[in-house]
Amino acid sequence: MSNKRGRMLIVSGPTASGKSTLWRRLVLHEQVTFSVSATTRQMRRGEVDGRDYQFLAKDKFEQLVADGAFLEYAEVHGCYYGTLRENVESAIDAGLDIVLEIDVEGARQLRECDLPQVSLFVNPPSLEVLAQRLRDRGTETEEQMARRLSVVEREMACANQYDHVVVNNDLEQMIAEVGDILEIQIP
Ligand code: 5GP
């Protein structure tokens, strides 16, 4: 085993931009793991507690905030989301890169911590393509979708705060580009 510490790989981007597909590919690499966030939002069909998120009641989440257990947390679309410090630090110390799929506010908070990190912002080809992808996914009600689309432009305005911005015109091309940036071969 090497003594090299791992890095946080921070991945943000608007909803349905392709960032989830990107991190699912990244974690196929043996040196890359995923930070399972805690959240107070409702579990979606197909999601598994402890794999996709740690689903917590609001009072439990607030207790962990008070205990200082989070490296960062934010309220997104009316629910809390946060990264537990312990998960990230243990991965980095074990020499693993750990992917954090988080919103722009969480990424901003992480910029201030002194853990090694590379941040990536995934942009969709256009707002029209993004709206269509969201419709195709069909997991949100019209009202939830309208709420999500309304924050997309605000999120995209933060892209220049990231180390790298990639555009998901072509998935495989985007993944290859990220591999070059991180200097790893993504399976
Ligand atoms: P979703 O509900 O679609 O799974 O995620 C909604 C948003 O929450 C996404 O923008 C995602 O990046 C963000 N998110 C997920 N986990 C975390 C986290 O641990 N911290 C923060 N700040 N945002 C998160």
Side-chain angles (χ1 to χ4, degrees):
M1 222 185 100
S2 87
N3 295 324
K4 202 166 155 263
R5 285 177 91 207
R7 311 166 280 187
M8 294 194 289
L9 308 181
I10 299 167
V11 178
S12 303
T15 185
S17 60
K19 67 185 166 175
S20 303
T21 311
L22 171 64
W23 75 251
R24 288 200 174 89
R25 286 287 291 277
L26 276 167
V27 297
L28 295 178
H29 191 286
E30 59 179 9
Q31 298 286 354
V32 181
T33 185
F34 182 68
S35 163
V36 178
S37 296
T39 185
T40 60
R41 89 147 155 72
Q42 290 259 309
M43 204 186 297
R44 290 189 194 130
R45 203 167 355 116
E47 285 185 329
V48 175
D49 188 21
R51 182 194 69 185
D52 300 292
Y53 282 104
Q54 205 175 323
F55 293 94
L56 299 178
K58 194 164 176 234
D59 57 348
K60 173 71 182 166
F61 196 103
E62 286 169 346
Q63 183 58 52
L64 287 167
V65 171
D67 294 345
F70 288 105
L71 209 47
E72 62 76 33
Y73 75 97
E75 204 175 331
V76 188
H77 313 306
C79 301
Y80 285 130
Y81 293 81
T83 305
L84 290 160
R85 181 184 300 278
E86 167 64 24
N87 295 349
V88 174
E89 289 182 348
S90 58
I92 289 177
D93 290 345
L96 297 173
D97 285 342
I98 180 160
V99 179
L100 292 90
E101 187 204 338
I102 59 174
D103 78 313
V104 294
E105 170 55 23
R108 193 187 57 70
Q109 292 176 46
L110 289 178
R111 230 166 272 135
E112 329 237 299
C113 84
D114 60 1
L115 293 168
Q117 57 184 279
V118 181
S119 61
L120 301 161
F121 192 91
V122 182
N123 259 331
S126 68
L127 282 176
E128 291 72 32
V129 171
L130 184 137
Q132 190 54 48
R133 282 182 191 166
L134 206 54
R135 246 172 249 122
D136 292 346
R137 196 162 77 177
T139 55
E140 265 83 21
T141 63
E142 277 301 315
E143 190 200 330
Q144 285 168 328
M145 205 172 107
R147 186 141 50 125
R148 281 174 178 251
L149 285 175
S150 75
V151 295
V152 164
E153 282 184 78
R154 187 167 51 80
E155 287 173 333
M156 286 171 76
C158 297
N160 62 2
Q161 297 165 14
Y162 285 69
D163 296 328
H164 303 275
V165 180
V166 291
V167 182
N168 184 13
N169 278 315
D170 176 284
L171 188 65
E172 289 307 321
Q173 223 168 40
M174 190 259 290
I175 288 170
E177 191 183 339
V178 171
D180 288 345
I181 289 168
L182 300 176
E183 297 182 329
I184 59 171
Q185 189 79 40
I186 301 174

